C-alpha cells in the first residue's frame, strides 16, 4: 500500500503506542470508538486488548461476543476484550503478593482493607493502569496473555482526566514500597506520548465540543499532554444546498439544521484542536459489529488517506 | 396552581441525555407557575450559562434569572473548584483544627483526587439550600456520570472511606495520640498482619500521615455524616420527586428500567420518565425525496420510536414515558428554554407534584 509518509503517520503512530486511552463526554460514543480503534489496530497486525471499566458490561456487543465476565476474553486470535473492575485487580494483587492463603483472606476480609480499597483516592486508577501496563510488559502482575497495545475505554471526561493524573499524584504521596514504585512507573508510562496516546471522542454538538476543548486544555495545563486524536462521532451527511424554511418540519429540514450545527461545531473544533481530527459519520446501523466494521474502515481511510479496504 | 412547600425535583440520567437543559426548562416552568424556584446546575454549556445568567459570579451562590413570570427563578452553578478546604474551614471547631487538617500531606492528596467529590459537594450544597428553606421549589441537576445513580452512591463511598472510627482504630496501634510513632508496638496476630501488609505496601510515613489526618478529622466527621444522613432522608421524602431522563433507542431500555427500579427500591419517589432527543418518524415519500439523509433520518426515527415503544410495553399505563423531540440545536436563550418549558408543560400536564 503506497501512502505518503505524512498521511500514514496518524495511524502508524497510534499503532505504535502501548496504551490508547479513549475518553470524552458521556453519551458521545466512546465505547463504539474504543471498539473501532481496537479493530483497527488489530487489523494492522497488533495484538490488542480492549479494556472496559463500566460495571455494566456493554463493549462485548460492539465486538460481537459474549460478556467477558471480568476475564480476558479472546475475540479473535490477537484481539482480546476484558471488563475490568478495579476492586478485583486490587484483590488479585493482594492474593498474588500475600502468598499465604489464610493471611490473604484475612486482609481481603478486613474492614480496614475494604474501606481503603473502596475509597482511597488514586488506588483504583493505579490498579487499572497497572493492569494495562502489565498486559504489555511483564512485571507487576503476571498474565497468561501478552498484548502489544491496550485500548482503554476510559470513564467520561472529568474522570478520564483524573485517571491519567492519578499516578503522578500518588507518586508524590506514596514514596516507598511496591505501590510507590508502581506509582512512579505508571506516572512515567502515562506521561510518555510515545507510549500512551490519548484519544478524545466528541460529537459535533455544542456541549460535547465545549467539553472536548476544555479537556484538551486541562490535559495540557495539568499533565502537559496533548491528545493525539479527536474523533468527531455521529456526523450527519452533507446536505443538498438550499434554504431552510422556518416552519418546515420535514426530514430534510431537520437534516439541514442538524448538519448546520455539525458544520458550526466542526469549524470550531478544527480551529482550536492541535492534534489530528477525524470525522465519523452517523450510519443507519445498530450498535454492533457491522457498525464497528463500517466505522473502522472510515477511520482507517481518514487516518491513512488510503482507499477504503474491503473486508477480508 | 398552589405553591409547593419546599419541594425538590431531582433530574437524573446518564451523561449526554440532556439533563442540564431539562432541569433549566423545569425551573422555568416552575417559576412561571408562581413558585420561587432555584435551579442548581452542574455542567451547563457556555451558552446555557449565558442564558441563565450563571456566569462566574454564580459559582457557589444564587443568581436571579431575569424573566417575566409570576414566580422568581434563581440559578446556581456548583463550583467544582470549591474543594473540601472550604468545608473543612467551615465545619472545623476552630482555626487550629482546620489548619491541622489542611496542612496534612495525606489530606492534600485526598482532596485533590477523591473520586466522587463533585457528587459529594452537591450533597453538601443541597443540604445548605434545604436548610435555608427559602425556596418553594428546588430543581437539582445531577453531575454527569456514566451510571445515572452515581450521584446517590458516591457520597456514601466517600463517607465510608472517611469513616474515621474504623480507620483511626486500625491505625492506632502504631501511633500515640499525637501521631508519634510508638517505640514498640505490641500487636495482636491479626492486627500485625493486616497493618504490616499496608506498611510494606505504602510505607510508614504515609500511614502516619493518615493516622494524623483521621485523628484531626475526627471532630468534623460526625457533622459530615449527620448532614449526609439528612440529605439522604430528604432524597427519600414525599416532597422529593425524581425525574429520570433517558436517551432514545432500544439499547437503552434495559438501563432505564434498571435505574427506575433501583430508585424505587432505594425508597425514592419516581416521577415522569422522559425519553429525550427522539428523532421524528418520517413519511416514506418525504424520506425518498430527501436522498441519503432521508434514509438515515427515516432509520433514526424508526429506531427511536421502537425504543420508546419497547419501554412503554414494559411499564404500566400510569408510568408511560413522555417523549421529547430531538431539537436541531440545544436550546439556549430564555426564549428557546421557554418553548421547551411549554412543551414539557403540555406533555406532563403541569409540573409533577
Amino acid at each position: 500500500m503506497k501512502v505518503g509518509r505524512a498521511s500514514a503517520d496518524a495511524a502508524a503512530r497510534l499503532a505504535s503506542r502501548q496504551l490508547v486511552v479513549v475518553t470524552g463526554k458521556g453519551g458521545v460514543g466512546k465505547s463504539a470508538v474504543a471498539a473501532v480503534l481496537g479493530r483497527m489496530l488489530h487489523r494492522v497486525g497488533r495484538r490488542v486488548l480492549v479494556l472496559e471499566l463500566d460495571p455494566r458490561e456493554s463493549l462485548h456487543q460492539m465486538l460481537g461476543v459474549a460478556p467477558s465476565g471480568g476475564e480476558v476474553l479472546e475475540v479473535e486470535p490477537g484481539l482480546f476484550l476484558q471488563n475490568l473492575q478495579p476492586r478485583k485487580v486490587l484483590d488479585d494483587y493482594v492474593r498474588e503478593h500475600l502468598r499465604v492463603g489464610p493471611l490473604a483472606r484475612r486482609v481481603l476480609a478486613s474492614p480496614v482493607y475494604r474501606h481503603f480499597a473502596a475509597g482511597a483516592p488514586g488506588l483504583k486508577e493505579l490498579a487499572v493502569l497497572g493492569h494495562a501496563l502489565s498486559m504489555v510488559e511483564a512485571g507487576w502482575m503476571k498474565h497468561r496473555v501478552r498484548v502489544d497495545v491496550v485500548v482503554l475505554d476510559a470513564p467520561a471526561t472529568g474522570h478520564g482526566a483524573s485517571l491519567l493524573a492519578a499516578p503522578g499524584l500518588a507518586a508524590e504521596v506514596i514514596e516507598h514500597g511496591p505501590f510507590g514504585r508502581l506509582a512512579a512507573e505508571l506516572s512515567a508510562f502515562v506521561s510518555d506520548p510515545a507510549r500512551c496516546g490519548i484519544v478524545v471522542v466528541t460529537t459535533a454538538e455544542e456541549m460535547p465540543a465545549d467539553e472536548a476543548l476544555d479537556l484538551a486544555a486541562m490535559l495540557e495545563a495539568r499533565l502537559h499532554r496533548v491528545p493525539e486524536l479527536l474523533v468527531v462521532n455521529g456526523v450527519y451527511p452533507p446536505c443538498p444546498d438550499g434554504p431552510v424554511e422556518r416552519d418546515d418540519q420535514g426530514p430534510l429540514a431537520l437534516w439541514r439544521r442538524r448538519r448546520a450545527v455539525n458544520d458550526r461545531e466542526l469549524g470550531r473544533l478544527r480551529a482550536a484542536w492541535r492534534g489530528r481530527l477525524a470525522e465519523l459519520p452517523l450510519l443507519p446501523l445498530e450498535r454492533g459489529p457491522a457498525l464497528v466494521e463500517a466505522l473502522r474502515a472510515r477511520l482507517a481511510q481518514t487516518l491513512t488517506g488510503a482507499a477504503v479496504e474491503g473486508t477480508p | 396552581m398552589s405553591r409547593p412547600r419546599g419541594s425538590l425535583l431531582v433530574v437524573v440520567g446518564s451523561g449526554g441525555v440532556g439533563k442540564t437543559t431539562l432541569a433549566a426548562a423545569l425551573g422555568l416552568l416552575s417559576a412561571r407557575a408562581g413558585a420561587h424556584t432555584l435551579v442548581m446546575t452542574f455542567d451547563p454549556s457556555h451558552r446555557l450559562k449565558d442564558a441563565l445568567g450563571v456566569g462566574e459570579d454564580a459559582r457557589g451562590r444564587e443568581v436571579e434569572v431575569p424573566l417575566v413570570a409570576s414566580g422568581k427563578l434563581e440559578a446556581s452553578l456548583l463550583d467544582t473548584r470549591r474543594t473540601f478546604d472550604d468545608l473543612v474551614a467551615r465545619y472545623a471547631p476552630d482555626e487550629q483544627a482546620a489548619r491541622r487538617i489542611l496542612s496534612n500531606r495525606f489530606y492534600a492528596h485526598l482532596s485533590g483526587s477523591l473520586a466522587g467529590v463533585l457528587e459529594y459537594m452537591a450533597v453538601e450544597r443541597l443540604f445548605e439550600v434545604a436548610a435555608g428553606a427559602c425556596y418553594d421549589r428546588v430543581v437539582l441537576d445531577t453531575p454527569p456520570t456514566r451510571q445515572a445513580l452515581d450521584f446517590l452512591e458516591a457520597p456514601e463511598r466517600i463517607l465510608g472511606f472517611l469513616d474515621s472510627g474504623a480507620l483511626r482504630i486500625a491505625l492506632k496501634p502504631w501511633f500515640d495520640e499525637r501521631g508519634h510513632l510508638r517505640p514498640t508496638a505490641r500487636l495482636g496476630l491479626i492486627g500485625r498482619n493486616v497493618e504490616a501488609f499496608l506498611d510494606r505496601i505504602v510505607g510508614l510515613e504515609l500511614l502516619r500521615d493518615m493516622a494524623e489526618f483521621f485523628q484531626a478529622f475526627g471532630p468534623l466527621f460526625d457533622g459530615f455524616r449527620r448532614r449526609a444522613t439528612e440529605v439522604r432522608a430528604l432524597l427519600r421524602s414525599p416532597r422529593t420527586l425524581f425525574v429520570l431522563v433517558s436517551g432514545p433507542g432500544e439499547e437503552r431500555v434495559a438501563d432505564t428500567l434498571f435505574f427506575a427500579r433501583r430508585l424505587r427500591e432505594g425508597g425514592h419517589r419516581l416521577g415522569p420518565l422522559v425519553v429525550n432527543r427522539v428523532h421524528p418518524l418520517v413519511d416514506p415519500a418525504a424520506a425518498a425525496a430527501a436522498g441519503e439523509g432521508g434514509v438515515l433520518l427515516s432509520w433514526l426515527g424508526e429506531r427511536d420510536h421502537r425504543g420508546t415503544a419497547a419501554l412503554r410495553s414494559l411499564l404500566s399505563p400510569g408510568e408511560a414515558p413522555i417523549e421529547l423531540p430531538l431539537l436541531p440545536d440545544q436550546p439556549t436563550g430564555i426564549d428557546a428554554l421557554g418553548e421547551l418549558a411549554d412543551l414539557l408543560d403540555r406533555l406532563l400536564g403541569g409540573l409533577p407534584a
Side-chain angles (χ1 to χ4, degrees), chain B:
Chain B
M1 67 179 274
S2 58
R3 282 171 59 168
R5 287 187 330 276
S7 80
L8 174 63
L9 268 180
V10 186
V11 184
V12 292
S14 304
V17 296
K19 279 186 306 228
T20 303
T21 307
L22 279 179
L26 285 167
L28 188 51
L29 185 55
S30 173
R32 281 181 178 172
H36 183 189
T37 306
L38 170 67
V39 174
M40 296 174 65
T41 64
F42 273 88
D43 66 338
S45 69
H46 300 165
R47 281 198 294 156
L48 184 61
K49 271 193 232 170
D50 290 340
L52 288 174
V54 288
E56 295 307 301
D57 25 291
R59 285 193 183 279
R61 75 174 179 82
E62 298 73 40
V63 165
E64 186 170 348
V65 180
L67 299 178
V68 178
S70 51
K72 189 160 115 168
L73 179 64
E74 294 178 42
S76 75
L77 171 63
L78 193 83
D79 187 355
T80 56
R81 290 173 315 187
R82 245 183 102 190
T83 60
F84 261 84
D85 288 9
D86 294 329
L87 287 177
V88 169
R90 176 193 240 138
Y91 290 115
D94 55 53
E95 219 184 283
Q96 189 191 29
R99 240 196 330 270
R100 209 176 143 208
I101 295 172
L102 296 175
S103 62
N104 179 280
R105 233 166 49 114
F106 175 69
Y107 169 76
H109 171 58
L110 179 86
S111 62
S113 57
L114 199 54
V117 160
L118 198 58
E119 289 82 357
Y120 188 84
M121 297 300 300
V123 166
E124 285 280 348
R125 187 89 193 96
L126 186 58
F127 174 83
E128 285 167 22
V129 165
C134 66
Y135 297 100
D136 296 323
R137 180 179 280 112
V138 174
V139 179
L140 175 69
D141 177 24
T142 50
T145 52
R146 195 165 207 155
Q147 296 283 293
L149 302 183
D150 271 358
F151 167 67
L152 297 175
E153 289 160 10
E156 275 309 309
R157 273 199 302 268
I158 292 185
L159 281 172
F161 177 68
L162 290 175
D163 193 333
S164 55
L167 281 160
R168 217 178 343 153
I169 287 165
L171 293 166
K172 207 168 163 182
W174 284 301
F175 303 105
D176 66 23
E177 279 304 304
R178 282 168 302 149
H180 296 136
L181 201 56
R182 291 181 200 279
T184 56
R186 300 199 179 283
L187 306 170
L189 184 66
I190 291 177
R192 183 169 68 224
N193 286 332
V194 171
E195 283 101 25
F197 174 70
L198 289 178
D199 176 12
R200 203 163 21 112
I201 296 303
V202 300
L204 220 47
E205 277 293 319
L206 180 61
L207 289 176
R208 192 207 320 263
D209 287 337
M210 286 176 67
E212 157 75 13
F213 167 74
F214 286 110
Q215 228 157 51
F217 193 75
L220 278 72
F221 180 77
D222 286 342
F224 275 62
R225 169 57 75 188
R226 189 177 36 82
R227 286 192 301 282
T229 304
E230 285 196 35
V231 168
R232 280 183 71 213
L234 172 62
L235 291 172
R236 288 172 168 76
S237 110
R239 295 179 308 159
T240 296
L241 195 68
F242 280 74
V243 177
L244 176 57
V245 185
S246 164
E250 275 175 294
E251 73 231 6
R252 298 183 202 238
V253 170
D255 273 0
T256 304
L257 290 173
F258 173 75
F259 294 135
R261 199 177 60 239
R262 284 274 299 282
L263 276 169
R264 275 197 219 98
E265 285 168 2
H268 304 100
R269 278 182 68 217
L270 180 57
L273 259 162
V274 179
V275 182
N276 198 16
R277 295 163 57 91
V278 175
H279 283 86
L281 283 171
V282 177
D283 166 66
E292 182 190 3
V295 170
L296 178 63
L297 280 167
S298 182
W299 185 86
L300 289 166
E302 288 276 310
R303 180 200 70 179
D304 290 355
H305 279 75
R306 257 202 322 272
T308 317
L311 187 58
R312 200 170 276 127
S313 73
L314 293 164
L315 296 166
S316 65
E319 298 168 316
I322 69 164
E323 268 186 358
L324 289 179
L326 174 68
L327 303 171
D329 200 359
Q330 70 184 62
T332 48
I334 279 293
D335 293 338
L337 270 181
E339 286 175 20
L340 181 56
D342 288 338
L343 179 60
L344 277 169
D345 197 10
R346 276 200 306 281
L347 292 170
L348 292 171
L351 263 176

Side-chain angles (χ1 to χ4, degrees), chain A residues 31 54 56 98 103 106 112 115-116 153 173 178-179 205-207 236 251 255 258 264 285-287, chain B residues 43 45 47 109 146-147 160 170 193 200-201 206 210 251 255 258 277 279 290 293 297 306 328-330:
Chain A
S31 293
D54 193 338
R56 291 171 68 76
L98 281 185
L103 177 56
R106 208 178 295 135
V112 178
H115 273 309
F116 201 81
D153 179 9
V173 180
F179 265 100
E205 293 169 299
E206 182 177 337
M207 282 176 77
Y236 284 74
W255 175 18
R258 291 289 285 162
R264 182 191 73 209
L285 291 169
E286 296 286 356
R287 284 161 55 108
Chain B
D43 66 338
S45 69
R47 281 198 294 156
H109 171 58
R146 195 165 207 155
Q147 296 283 293
N193 286 332
R200 203 163 21 112
I201 296 303
L206 180 61
M210 286 176 67
E251 73 231 6
D255 273 0
F258 173 75
R277 295 163 57 91
H279 283 86
L297 280 167
R306 257 202 322 272
D329 200 359
Q330 70 184 62

